[in-house]
Amino acid sequence: MHCFYCLLLLIIFNGAFSTTIPIAGFFNADKTEQEKVFKLAVENVNNVNQDKLFPEDSLVLDPKVEHVLSFDSYNTSRRVCDLASEGIGAIFGLHSPEAVGITESLCDAMDIPLIKTFWDVSAMPMKSAINLYPDPKILSKALVDVIKDMDWTSYAILYDSDFGLLRLQELLKSHKRAYTTEGHVPFTVWQLEPEGDVRPLLKQIQKTSETRIVLDCATERIIEVLKQAKQVKMLGDYHSYVLTSLDAHTLDYSELQLDTTNITTLRLVNPQRHYVQSTVQDWVFFHKTLLEDKVPVTADTLKTDSALTYDAVKVYSEAVQKIRRDSQEEVEVTPLLCSQPTKWLNGSLIIDEIKKLEIEGMSGSIKFDESGQRIFFTIDITELTKNGFRKIGNWDPERGISYTRTRSQMRKEMYQSISNKTFFVVSRVGEPYLKEVDSNLEGNARYAGYSMDLIDEIAKDLKFEYKFYLAPDKAYGSFNKDTKQWNGLIKELRERKADLAICDLTITYERRSAVDFTMPFMNLGISILFSKPTKQPPDLFSFLSPFSIDVWIYMATAYLGVSLLLYFLARCTPDEWDNPHPCNPDPTELECIFSLHNCLWFSIGSLMAQGCDLLPKALSTRVVAGMWWFFVLIMISSYTANLAAFLTMDRMDATIESVEDLANQNKIKYGVLKGGSSANFFRDSNVSLYQKIWSQMESARPSVFTKSNDEGVERVLRGKRAYAFFMESTTIEYQKEKHCSLMQVGGLLDSKGYGIAMPFNSPYRIAISGSVLKMQESGKLQQLKDKWWKNSEDGENKCPVEEDASSSELGIANVGGVFLVLLVGCIAAFFVAILEFLWNVRKVAVEEKISPGDAFFLELKFAIQCYGTTKPVRKPQEESVAEEDLVECPEIEGVEEEEEEDRGFFGDENMEEEYMRLNGFSNNIRAKSTQSYS
């Protein structure tokens, strides 16, 4: 009973001391949701205040709703003045700049708080105005940070109104360079038509191959723009959109089926927050209780204007309550006249108090600066998924971006998206990268090569499917400056017909500006493909090569000249004439050993470095011999040195050793693949040598450019060392293994790499690059290269390893001429011996007066004996030696004794006696013959 009276007293007391403040809400006829939220917010605030236990804290807001036209500033100003004359505590809900301008001036003159909830373009805000919408500059900074964090180096901006362009001005100012590192313009700006078809504009953007779009348009127009973008194929896997509207998350995207398109939005209101959901539930309860109707809003569809309208009422209520508690006085409204401007004293207090507030609302944390602009808020970064928008991070002015998902989660999501996709891979035929194994097969089984193995390993790693096909024009991809179009593989990627392009496609600056590349899977450079020098057939008389024919003739002349000179000088000088019989002190004649044939023998013995048993004695002959020996020393040394070089090294055709040698000659033509990266290298090079090469290739007739690398290789093979071809070093390695007659000349002219190309801004580049890097670290890339370059099907090298010419053995073909000379000499000596033998047979037959046949038989019978070192002197029987002709000489006696000891020449006494009888040998030996033997 006592409790009932207490409660009754509290109610009476509360009603007696409660403060009622009228507030006005100005809304357009189409702003029904904001109007209802405004009423619900006031009702919610009043109910919360009436639940206070202390009556002095009770506050009742009396809402007055006014419907005005956005462009009707006159009627708006009249309604403001009418309300001010009745007494008004604050004005809410105005959105149009036309209406706000006059209203803000009136409120500023009378110190009536004007609570705004929209983006205001006014440069000089009034002191009576409070804006709960985030500061445009700070909000633009959030957009700039998000785009930078996503690594958008280039993008297209689509806007539908001039106000949108103003909202994006901070984004436009964020670029300090006119071009990106890839050579792109950082952004392009396109204005959407106010109404109607935007597909022509989207097609123009599509021609630029830009896949990143910043869309700034009215919320209700977003779905229609995206529908038309899908019709022109601008909502694919490689397209990304950032929607600047803070209400983009409230739309239904299910009809667009954007499972693979990356759509990012920024939102101020997080529908998953407990405060938002509980507040919306209160609205539903009050709306159903008071109006007996369902509230037209949910937490997921709550628009930013509605949330800010609720927060505006709450902020105002909190400020009034704070003033009442601090001053212990009631806040009363005062009727004011626009014709006689007077200020509401409590109005400035409320405005100052609002600027000091830091509270949590449906739009998050709220904080204002001195000018009444909201300077603190939290922006949620969301991505569209199959189940709706998902928050991936948030941004605030103090901490910037902070993500709610880890890198491992992002990587896992990326790999999941790849595993559910079938990639279309474009390539071109060119061994060993790709070749057609069977034209009757279909699909991937039709091709084989390094490219197939590489993409197959990546597909196994990332668990995706792929389909191979060839580029229609069979070109790598070059840009035509006249048509402004790409061809080949690059064209397929830019038109989104292919997801990947893999072959010997070089990463160049020009191509990098059109497509994306993974990290290089093979490093290389430009080099020269040329034919190996052809070996000269071995020369049988190669030992003559160290000297020229002239030198050999001069040497033969010198040999004859020196021999004749020595013969002449020996006959002239008395020192070369000796006693032929040393035992005779008084000789009747002198003898010179340097006869003509002895001089020739002396010279040839010296020339052959073998010496001779004849030595000169006179000074003149010794001078000639010394000069001849000096000449022979120099000539033999030179011959030996040159002979070693000639016999151990193959004589080859003249060749080129470097690109300088190639450029400085006119005999060998050289070319390059037309339109390829190697041709672009020479065309765009600033090096004078390469400019000279490019100029000579352009002016050559017939053309030295080829349509394919295979054609260039064929021209080198057929050219017989009259054509050289500039090609990537890796392809040269393969051609060297395939054609053993080819070689690489010089080093690398540049350094570059082959990469897997994909459409620009591809979301799969990081994953595929990571797979390539793993293959490189594990050695798998080298294994694939060895499989298709060095090894044949049986595992053996396709070309045998050539021996070093400096260490190769000499064959019979190199030194066969020496053997031939020896053989000829031996044969010649044999025939000379036969002639000498026959001459001796004739002599014996004449002297012994026997038939030539008997003499031949006896001489031959003696010659074929293989033993004995002496031969008896044959003497006719009728000849005798006079005793006076014999000269006593100890040496002769010794000779006689030796002859007696060696009497048994034949080893058979009977044969010896028969030989003596037939030949009439005398037992007495003439002194002359004996002397000659000694």
Side-chain angles (χ1 to χ4, degrees), residues 23 38 41 45 61 90-93 115-117 130 132 305-318 354 359 363 366 368:
I23 57 176
F38 175 71
V45 168
L61 299 179
I91 296 177
F92 299 83
I115 314 298
K116 299 184 291 186
T117 59
I130 302 294
L132 272 79
D305 286 345
S306 301
L308 292 178
T309 300
Y310 175 85
D311 289 344
V313 175
K314 182 179 180 181
V315 164
Y316 182 82
S317 173
E318 291 289 338
I354 290 176
I359 64 173
S363 60
I366 301 174
F368 302 95

PDB file of all heavy atoms in Angstrom, residues 23 38 41 45 61 90-93 115-117 130 132 305-318 354 359 363 366 368:
ATOM      1  N   ILE A  23      10.621  20.277 -30.966  1.00  0.00           N
ATOM      2  CA  ILE A  23      11.641  20.208 -32.015  1.00  0.00           C
ATOM      3  C   ILE A  23      10.940  19.965 -33.343  1.00  0.00           C
ATOM      4  O   ILE A  23       9.854  19.390 -33.390  1.00  0.00           O
ATOM      5  CB  ILE A  23      12.673  19.099 -31.745  1.00  0.00           C
ATOM      6  CG1 ILE A  23      11.979  17.735 -31.613  1.00  0.00           C
ATOM      7  CG2 ILE A  23      13.488  19.401 -30.488  1.00  0.00           C
ATOM      8  CD1 ILE A  23      12.935  16.577 -31.452  1.00  0.00           C
ATOM      9  N   PHE A  38      12.618   9.408 -37.242  1.00  0.00           N
ATOM     10  CA  PHE A  38      12.642  10.604 -36.401  1.00  0.00           C
ATOM     11  C   PHE A  38      11.596  10.508 -35.289  1.00  0.00           C
ATOM     12  O   PHE A  38      11.885  10.764 -34.113  1.00  0.00           O
ATOM     13  CB  PHE A  38      12.405  11.830 -37.278  1.00  0.00           C
ATOM     14  CG  PHE A  38      12.278  13.110 -36.505  1.00  0.00           C
ATOM     15  CD1 PHE A  38      13.376  13.691 -35.891  1.00  0.00           C
ATOM     16  CD2 PHE A  38      11.036  13.743 -36.385  1.00  0.00           C
ATOM     17  CE1 PHE A  38      13.248  14.881 -35.191  1.00  0.00           C
ATOM     18  CE2 PHE A  38      10.910  14.930 -35.676  1.00  0.00           C
ATOM     19  CZ  PHE A  38      12.021  15.496 -35.078  1.00  0.00           C
ATOM     20  N   ALA A  41      12.629   7.800 -32.859  1.00  0.00           N
ATOM     21  CA  ALA A  41      13.749   8.226 -32.031  1.00  0.00           C
ATOM     22  C   ALA A  41      13.270   9.135 -30.908  1.00  0.00           C
ATOM     23  O   ALA A  41      13.698   9.003 -29.754  1.00  0.00           O
ATOM     24  CB  ALA A  41      14.777   8.946 -32.900  1.00  0.00           C
ATOM     25  N   VAL A  45      13.480   8.293 -26.974  1.00  0.00           N
ATOM     26  CA  VAL A  45      14.146   9.180 -26.002  1.00  0.00           C
ATOM     27  C   VAL A  45      13.185   9.563 -24.883  1.00  0.00           C
ATOM     28  O   VAL A  45      13.550   9.572 -23.706  1.00  0.00           O
ATOM     29  CB  VAL A  45      14.690  10.422 -26.723  1.00  0.00           C
ATOM     30  CG1 VAL A  45      15.117  11.483 -25.719  1.00  0.00           C
ATOM     31  CG2 VAL A  45      15.856  10.057 -27.638  1.00  0.00           C
ATOM     32  N   LEU A  61      10.508  15.493 -25.565  1.00  0.00           N
ATOM     33  CA  LEU A  61      10.674  16.187 -26.834  1.00  0.00           C
ATOM     34  C   LEU A  61       9.363  16.097 -27.595  1.00  0.00           C
ATOM     35  O   LEU A  61       8.767  15.027 -27.725  1.00  0.00           O
ATOM     36  CB  LEU A  61      11.791  15.537 -27.650  1.00  0.00           C
ATOM     37  CG  LEU A  61      13.193  15.532 -27.015  1.00  0.00           C
ATOM     38  CD1 LEU A  61      14.192  14.836 -27.937  1.00  0.00           C
ATOM     39  CD2 LEU A  61      13.660  16.948 -26.724  1.00  0.00           C
ATOM     40  N   ALA A  90      15.043  22.969 -31.704  1.00  0.00           N
ATOM     41  CA  ALA A  90      16.044  22.514 -32.680  1.00  0.00           C
ATOM     42  C   ALA A  90      15.322  22.143 -33.961  1.00  0.00           C
ATOM     43  O   ALA A  90      14.117  21.904 -33.983  1.00  0.00           O
ATOM     44  CB  ALA A  90      16.844  21.321 -32.158  1.00  0.00           C
ATOM     45  N   ILE A  91      16.090  22.107 -35.043  1.00  0.00           N
ATOM     46  CA  ILE A  91      15.552  21.740 -36.348  1.00  0.00           C
ATOM     47  C   ILE A  91      16.378  20.559 -36.875  1.00  0.00           C
ATOM     48  O   ILE A  91      17.606  20.586 -36.858  1.00  0.00           O
ATOM     49  CB  ILE A  91      15.605  22.909 -37.328  1.00  0.00           C
ATOM     50  CG1 ILE A  91      14.688  24.052 -36.814  1.00  0.00           C
ATOM     51  CG2 ILE A  91      15.199  22.483 -38.722  1.00  0.00           C
ATOM     52  CD1 ILE A  91      14.735  25.286 -37.678  1.00  0.00           C
ATOM     53  N   PHE A  92      15.664  19.544 -37.362  1.00  0.00           N
ATOM     54  CA  PHE A  92      16.300  18.323 -37.868  1.00  0.00           C
ATOM     55  C   PHE A  92      15.825  18.055 -39.300  1.00  0.00           C
ATOM     56  O   PHE A  92      14.807  18.573 -39.733  1.00  0.00           O
ATOM     57  CB  PHE A  92      15.933  17.110 -37.002  1.00  0.00           C
ATOM     58  CG  PHE A  92      16.377  17.229 -35.571  1.00  0.00           C
ATOM     59  CD1 PHE A  92      15.604  17.925 -34.640  1.00  0.00           C
ATOM     60  CD2 PHE A  92      17.540  16.622 -35.146  1.00  0.00           C
ATOM     61  CE1 PHE A  92      16.003  18.022 -33.327  1.00  0.00           C
ATOM     62  CE2 PHE A  92      17.931  16.706 -33.820  1.00  0.00           C
ATOM     63  CZ  PHE A  92      17.166  17.407 -32.915  1.00  0.00           C
ATOM     64  N   GLY A  93      16.548  17.171 -39.983  1.00  0.00           N
ATOM     65  CA  GLY A  93      16.050  16.520 -41.179  1.00  0.00           C
ATOM     66  C   GLY A  93      16.288  17.190 -42.501  1.00  0.00           C
ATOM     67  O   GLY A  93      16.016  16.591 -43.548  1.00  0.00           O
ATOM     68  N   ILE A 115      20.542  20.608 -36.569  1.00  0.00           N
ATOM     69  CA  ILE A 115      21.235  19.316 -36.566  1.00  0.00           C
ATOM     70  C   ILE A 115      21.114  18.719 -37.965  1.00  0.00           C
ATOM     71  O   ILE A 115      20.017  18.354 -38.407  1.00  0.00           O
ATOM     72  CB  ILE A 115      20.635  18.362 -35.520  1.00  0.00           C
ATOM     73  CG1 ILE A 115      20.425  19.092 -34.186  1.00  0.00           C
ATOM     74  CG2 ILE A 115      21.530  17.150 -35.351  1.00  0.00           C
ATOM     75  CD1 ILE A 115      21.685  19.611 -33.555  1.00  0.00           C
ATOM     76  N   LYS A 116      22.254  18.594 -38.649  1.00  0.00           N
ATOM     77  CA  LYS A 116      22.280  18.075 -40.017  1.00  0.00           C
ATOM     78  C   LYS A 116      22.796  16.634 -40.012  1.00  0.00           C
ATOM     79  O   LYS A 116      23.606  16.253 -39.171  1.00  0.00           O
ATOM     80  CB  LYS A 116      23.171  18.943 -40.906  1.00  0.00           C
ATOM     81  CG  LYS A 116      22.708  20.390 -41.024  1.00  0.00           C
ATOM     82  CD  LYS A 116      23.556  21.188 -41.983  1.00  0.00           C
ATOM     83  CE  LYS A 116      24.952  21.414 -41.453  1.00  0.00           C
ATOM     84  NZ  LYS A 116      25.748  22.312 -42.331  1.00  0.00           N
ATOM     85  N   THR A 117      22.321  15.893 -41.009  1.00  0.00           N
ATOM     86  CA  THR A 117      22.731  14.480 -41.116  1.00  0.00           C
ATOM     87  C   THR A 117      23.111  14.126 -42.553  1.00  0.00           C
ATOM     88  O   THR A 117      22.904  13.007 -43.001  1.00  0.00           O
ATOM     89  CB  THR A 117      21.592  13.568 -40.643  1.00  0.00           C
ATOM     90  OG1 THR A 117      20.428  13.820 -41.448  1.00  0.00           O
ATOM     91  CG2 THR A 117      21.281  13.768 -39.181  1.00  0.00           C
ATOM     92  N   ILE A 130      25.256  21.768 -36.417  1.00  0.00           N
ATOM     93  CA  ILE A 130      25.947  20.541 -36.017  1.00  0.00           C
ATOM     94  C   ILE A 130      25.670  19.493 -37.087  1.00  0.00           C
ATOM     95  O   ILE A 130      24.516  19.293 -37.471  1.00  0.00           O
ATOM     96  CB  ILE A 130      25.479  20.035 -34.643  1.00  0.00           C
ATOM     97  CG1 ILE A 130      25.702  21.094 -33.564  1.00  0.00           C
ATOM     98  CG2 ILE A 130      26.179  18.732 -34.290  1.00  0.00           C
ATOM     99  CD1 ILE A 130      27.142  21.411 -33.273  1.00  0.00           C
ATOM    100  N   LEU A 132      26.148  15.507 -38.072  1.00  0.00           N
ATOM    101  CA  LEU A 132      26.538  14.166 -37.662  1.00  0.00           C
ATOM    102  C   LEU A 132      27.120  13.344 -38.799  1.00  0.00           C
ATOM    103  O   LEU A 132      27.674  12.269 -38.553  1.00  0.00           O
ATOM    104  CB  LEU A 132      25.343  13.415 -37.068  1.00  0.00           C
ATOM    105  CG  LEU A 132      25.144  13.615 -35.560  1.00  0.00           C
ATOM    106  CD1 LEU A 132      24.477  14.950 -35.276  1.00  0.00           C
ATOM    107  CD2 LEU A 132      24.336  12.477 -34.966  1.00  0.00           C
ATOM    108  N   ASP A 305      21.141   7.617 -43.316  1.00  0.00           N
ATOM    109  CA  ASP A 305      20.357   8.803 -42.924  1.00  0.00           C
ATOM    110  C   ASP A 305      19.474   8.513 -41.724  1.00  0.00           C
ATOM    111  O   ASP A 305      19.334   9.343 -40.814  1.00  0.00           O
ATOM    112  CB  ASP A 305      19.499   9.272 -44.100  1.00  0.00           C
ATOM    113  CG  ASP A 305      20.335   9.969 -45.158  1.00  0.00           C
ATOM    114  OD1 ASP A 305      21.478  10.331 -44.838  1.00  0.00           O
ATOM    115  OD2 ASP A 305      19.847  10.131 -46.291  1.00  0.00           O
ATOM    116  N   SER A 306      18.891   7.315 -41.717  1.00  0.00           N
ATOM    117  CA  SER A 306      18.007   6.958 -40.609  1.00  0.00           C
ATOM    118  C   SER A 306      18.792   6.835 -39.315  1.00  0.00           C
ATOM    119  O   SER A 306      18.359   7.315 -38.255  1.00  0.00           O
ATOM    120  CB  SER A 306      17.284   5.644 -40.923  1.00  0.00           C
ATOM    121  OG  SER A 306      16.521   5.767 -42.108  1.00  0.00           O
ATOM    122  N   ALA A 307      19.961   6.167 -39.390  1.00  0.00           N
ATOM    123  CA  ALA A 307      20.783   6.015 -38.187  1.00  0.00           C
ATOM    124  C   ALA A 307      21.271   7.366 -37.692  1.00  0.00           C
ATOM    125  O   ALA A 307      21.285   7.627 -36.474  1.00  0.00           O
ATOM    126  CB  ALA A 307      21.952   5.088 -38.483  1.00  0.00           C
ATOM    127  N   LEU A 308      21.656   8.243 -38.621  1.00  0.00           N
ATOM    128  CA  LEU A 308      22.132   9.556 -38.206  1.00  0.00           C
ATOM    129  C   LEU A 308      20.993  10.401 -37.641  1.00  0.00           C
ATOM    130  O   LEU A 308      21.202  11.221 -36.727  1.00  0.00           O
ATOM    131  CB  LEU A 308      22.778  10.266 -39.404  1.00  0.00           C
ATOM    132  CG  LEU A 308      24.092   9.643 -39.917  1.00  0.00           C
ATOM    133  CD1 LEU A 308      24.603  10.409 -41.135  1.00  0.00           C
ATOM    134  CD2 LEU A 308      25.150   9.632 -38.829  1.00  0.00           C
ATOM    135  N   THR A 309      19.787  10.227 -38.181  1.00  0.00           N
ATOM    136  CA  THR A 309      18.630  10.951 -37.629  1.00  0.00           C
ATOM    137  C   THR A 309      18.376  10.540 -36.185  1.00  0.00           C
ATOM    138  O   THR A 309      18.110  11.377 -35.309  1.00  0.00           O
ATOM    139  CB  THR A 309      17.386  10.686 -38.488  1.00  0.00           C
ATOM    140  OG1 THR A 309      17.633  11.131 -39.830  1.00  0.00           O
ATOM    141  CG2 THR A 309      16.174  11.411 -37.934  1.00  0.00           C
ATOM    142  N   TYR A 310      18.455   9.227 -35.939  1.00  0.00           N
ATOM    143  CA  TYR A 310      18.283   8.754 -34.561  1.00  0.00           C
ATOM    144  C   TYR A 310      19.386   9.312 -33.667  1.00  0.00           C
ATOM    145  O   TYR A 310      19.123   9.781 -32.547  1.00  0.00           O
ATOM    146  CB  TYR A 310      18.318   7.231 -34.531  1.00  0.00           C
ATOM    147  CG  TYR A 310      18.256   6.666 -33.143  1.00  0.00           C
ATOM    148  CD1 TYR A 310      17.040   6.459 -32.503  1.00  0.00           C
ATOM    149  CD2 TYR A 310      19.420   6.336 -32.461  1.00  0.00           C
ATOM    150  CE1 TYR A 310      16.976   5.952 -31.225  1.00  0.00           C
ATOM    151  CE2 TYR A 310      19.380   5.827 -31.166  1.00  0.00           C
ATOM    152  CZ  TYR A 310      18.154   5.630 -30.555  1.00  0.00           C
ATOM    153  OH  TYR A 310      18.096   5.134 -29.285  1.00  0.00           O
ATOM    154  N   ASP A 311      20.643   9.270 -34.165  1.00  0.00           N
ATOM    155  CA  ASP A 311      21.754   9.781 -33.360  1.00  0.00           C
ATOM    156  C   ASP A 311      21.630  11.275 -33.132  1.00  0.00           C
ATOM    157  O   ASP A 311      22.041  11.794 -32.072  1.00  0.00           O
ATOM    158  CB  ASP A 311      23.081   9.474 -34.060  1.00  0.00           C
ATOM    159  CG  ASP A 311      23.425   7.998 -34.016  1.00  0.00           C
ATOM    160  OD1 ASP A 311      22.824   7.272 -33.197  1.00  0.00           O
ATOM    161  OD2 ASP A 311      24.297   7.559 -34.806  1.00  0.00           O
ATOM    162  N   ALA A 312      21.074  12.005 -34.106  1.00  0.00           N
ATOM    163  CA  ALA A 312      20.905  13.453 -33.941  1.00  0.00           C
ATOM    164  C   ALA A 312      19.961  13.756 -32.790  1.00  0.00           C
ATOM    165  O   ALA A 312      20.223  14.633 -31.957  1.00  0.00           O
ATOM    166  CB  ALA A 312      20.393  14.059 -35.246  1.00  0.00           C
ATOM    167  N   VAL A 313      18.843  13.004 -32.726  1.00  0.00           N
ATOM    168  CA  VAL A 313      17.900  13.210 -31.619  1.00  0.00           C
ATOM    169  C   VAL A 313      18.547  12.843 -30.292  1.00  0.00           C
ATOM    170  O   VAL A 313      18.383  13.531 -29.281  1.00  0.00           O
ATOM    171  CB  VAL A 313      16.628  12.384 -31.872  1.00  0.00           C
ATOM    172  CG1 VAL A 313      15.675  12.487 -30.689  1.00  0.00           C
ATOM    173  CG2 VAL A 313      15.934  12.855 -33.154  1.00  0.00           C
ATOM    174  N   LYS A 314      19.301  11.758 -30.322  1.00  0.00           N
ATOM    175  CA  LYS A 314      19.952  11.332 -29.085  1.00  0.00           C
ATOM    176  C   LYS A 314      20.998  12.343 -28.638  1.00  0.00           C
ATOM    177  O   LYS A 314      21.105  12.648 -27.431  1.00  0.00           O
ATOM    178  CB  LYS A 314      20.603   9.976 -29.299  1.00  0.00           C
ATOM    179  CG  LYS A 314      21.274   9.419 -28.054  1.00  0.00           C
ATOM    180  CD  LYS A 314      21.891   8.059 -28.296  1.00  0.00           C
ATOM    181  CE  LYS A 314      22.557   7.538 -27.023  1.00  0.00           C
ATOM    182  NZ  LYS A 314      23.188   6.220 -27.222  1.00  0.00           N
ATOM    183  N   VAL A 315      21.785  12.862 -29.558  1.00  0.00           N
ATOM    184  CA  VAL A 315      22.811  13.837 -29.211  1.00  0.00           C
ATOM    185  C   VAL A 315      22.173  15.082 -28.618  1.00  0.00           C
ATOM    186  O   VAL A 315      22.642  15.635 -27.607  1.00  0.00           O
ATOM    187  CB  VAL A 315      23.653  14.185 -30.462  1.00  0.00           C
ATOM    188  CG1 VAL A 315      24.449  15.459 -30.245  1.00  0.00           C
ATOM    189  CG2 VAL A 315      24.577  13.037 -30.812  1.00  0.00           C
ATOM    190  N   TYR A 316      21.096  15.520 -29.240  1.00  0.00           N
ATOM    191  CA  TYR A 316      20.417  16.710 -28.730  1.00  0.00           C
ATOM    192  C   TYR A 316      19.866  16.465 -27.325  1.00  0.00           C
ATOM    193  O   TYR A 316      20.007  17.305 -26.433  1.00  0.00           O
ATOM    194  CB  TYR A 316      19.288  17.098 -29.687  1.00  0.00           C
ATOM    195  CG  TYR A 316      18.551  18.344 -29.272  1.00  0.00           C
ATOM    196  CD1 TYR A 316      19.062  19.607 -29.567  1.00  0.00           C
ATOM    197  CD2 TYR A 316      17.330  18.265 -28.589  1.00  0.00           C
ATOM    198  CE1 TYR A 316      18.391  20.746 -29.193  1.00  0.00           C
ATOM    199  CE2 TYR A 316      16.659  19.401 -28.210  1.00  0.00           C
ATOM    200  CZ  TYR A 316      17.181  20.647 -28.513  1.00  0.00           C
ATOM    201  OH  TYR A 316      16.518  21.775 -28.120  1.00  0.00           O
ATOM    202  N   SER A 317      19.259  15.308 -27.145  1.00  0.00           N
ATOM    203  CA  SER A 317      18.695  14.984 -25.839  1.00  0.00           C
ATOM    204  C   SER A 317      19.780  14.911 -24.773  1.00  0.00           C
ATOM    205  O   SER A 317      19.608  15.425 -23.657  1.00  0.00           O
ATOM    206  CB  SER A 317      17.946  13.661 -25.920  1.00  0.00           C
ATOM    207  OG  SER A 317      17.527  13.226 -24.644  1.00  0.00           O
ATOM    208  N   GLU A 318      20.922  14.283 -25.118  1.00  0.00           N
ATOM    209  CA  GLU A 318      22.015  14.174 -24.155  1.00  0.00           C
ATOM    210  C   GLU A 318      22.558  15.544 -23.778  1.00  0.00           C
ATOM    211  O   GLU A 318      22.903  15.806 -22.611  1.00  0.00           O
ATOM    212  CB  GLU A 318      23.133  13.299 -24.736  1.00  0.00           C
ATOM    213  CG  GLU A 318      22.788  11.831 -24.871  1.00  0.00           C
ATOM    214  CD  GLU A 318      22.716  11.130 -23.514  1.00  0.00           C
ATOM    215  OE1 GLU A 318      23.314  11.642 -22.541  1.00  0.00           O
ATOM    216  OE2 GLU A 318      22.065  10.089 -23.425  1.00  0.00           O
ATOM    217  N   ILE A 354      26.833  20.105 -27.242  1.00  0.00           N
ATOM    218  CA  ILE A 354      26.869  19.031 -28.253  1.00  0.00           C
ATOM    219  C   ILE A 354      28.292  18.841 -28.777  1.00  0.00           C
ATOM    220  O   ILE A 354      28.756  17.707 -28.982  1.00  0.00           O
ATOM    221  CB  ILE A 354      25.903  19.353 -29.402  1.00  0.00           C
ATOM    222  CG1 ILE A 354      24.448  19.236 -28.926  1.00  0.00           C
ATOM    223  CG2 ILE A 354      26.139  18.416 -30.589  1.00  0.00           C
ATOM    224  CD1 ILE A 354      23.432  19.636 -29.976  1.00  0.00           C
ATOM    225  N   ILE A 359      29.858  10.212 -27.426  1.00  0.00           N
ATOM    226  CA  ILE A 359      28.916   9.153 -27.090  1.00  0.00           C
ATOM    227  C   ILE A 359      28.917   8.104 -28.197  1.00  0.00           C
ATOM    228  O   ILE A 359      29.485   8.300 -29.267  1.00  0.00           O
ATOM    229  CB  ILE A 359      27.487   9.715 -26.896  1.00  0.00           C
ATOM    230  CG1 ILE A 359      26.969  10.314 -28.215  1.00  0.00           C
ATOM    231  CG2 ILE A 359      27.443  10.750 -25.784  1.00  0.00           C
ATOM    232  CD1 ILE A 359      25.522  10.736 -28.153  1.00  0.00           C
ATOM    233  N   SER A 363      25.488   5.002 -35.367  1.00  0.00           N
ATOM    234  CA  SER A 363      26.542   5.181 -36.358  1.00  0.00           C
ATOM    235  C   SER A 363      27.930   5.064 -35.737  1.00  0.00           C
ATOM    236  O   SER A 363      28.913   5.457 -36.354  1.00  0.00           O
ATOM    237  CB  SER A 363      26.399   6.538 -37.057  1.00  0.00           C
ATOM    238  OG  SER A 363      26.495   7.589 -36.111  1.00  0.00           O
ATOM    239  N   ILE A 366      30.885   8.957 -31.658  1.00  0.00           N
ATOM    240  CA  ILE A 366      30.575  10.298 -32.161  1.00  0.00           C
ATOM    241  C   ILE A 366      31.421  11.305 -31.398  1.00  0.00           C
ATOM    242  O   ILE A 366      31.464  11.295 -30.168  1.00  0.00           O
ATOM    243  CB  ILE A 366      29.081  10.629 -32.002  1.00  0.00           C
ATOM    244  CG1 ILE A 366      28.231   9.599 -32.768  1.00  0.00           C
ATOM    245  CG2 ILE A 366      28.782  12.043 -32.494  1.00  0.00           C
ATOM    246  CD1 ILE A 366      26.746   9.769 -32.554  1.00  0.00           C
ATOM    247  N   PHE A 368      32.880  15.622 -32.060  1.00  0.00           N
ATOM    248  CA  PHE A 368      32.815  16.805 -32.926  1.00  0.00           C
ATOM    249  C   PHE A 368      34.017  17.704 -32.680  1.00  0.00           C
ATOM    250  O   PHE A 368      34.670  17.648 -31.628  1.00  0.00           O
ATOM    251  CB  PHE A 368      31.526  17.604 -32.671  1.00  0.00           C
ATOM    252  CG  PHE A 368      30.264  16.814 -32.883  1.00  0.00           C
ATOM    253  CD1 PHE A 368      29.635  16.186 -31.817  1.00  0.00           C
ATOM    254  CD2 PHE A 368      29.707  16.689 -34.147  1.00  0.00           C
ATOM    255  CE1 PHE A 368      28.477  15.447 -32.017  1.00  0.00           C
ATOM    256  CE2 PHE A 368      28.551  15.968 -34.348  1.00  0.00           C
ATOM    257  CZ  PHE A 368      27.935  15.336 -33.280  1.00  0.00           C
TER     258      PHE A 368
END
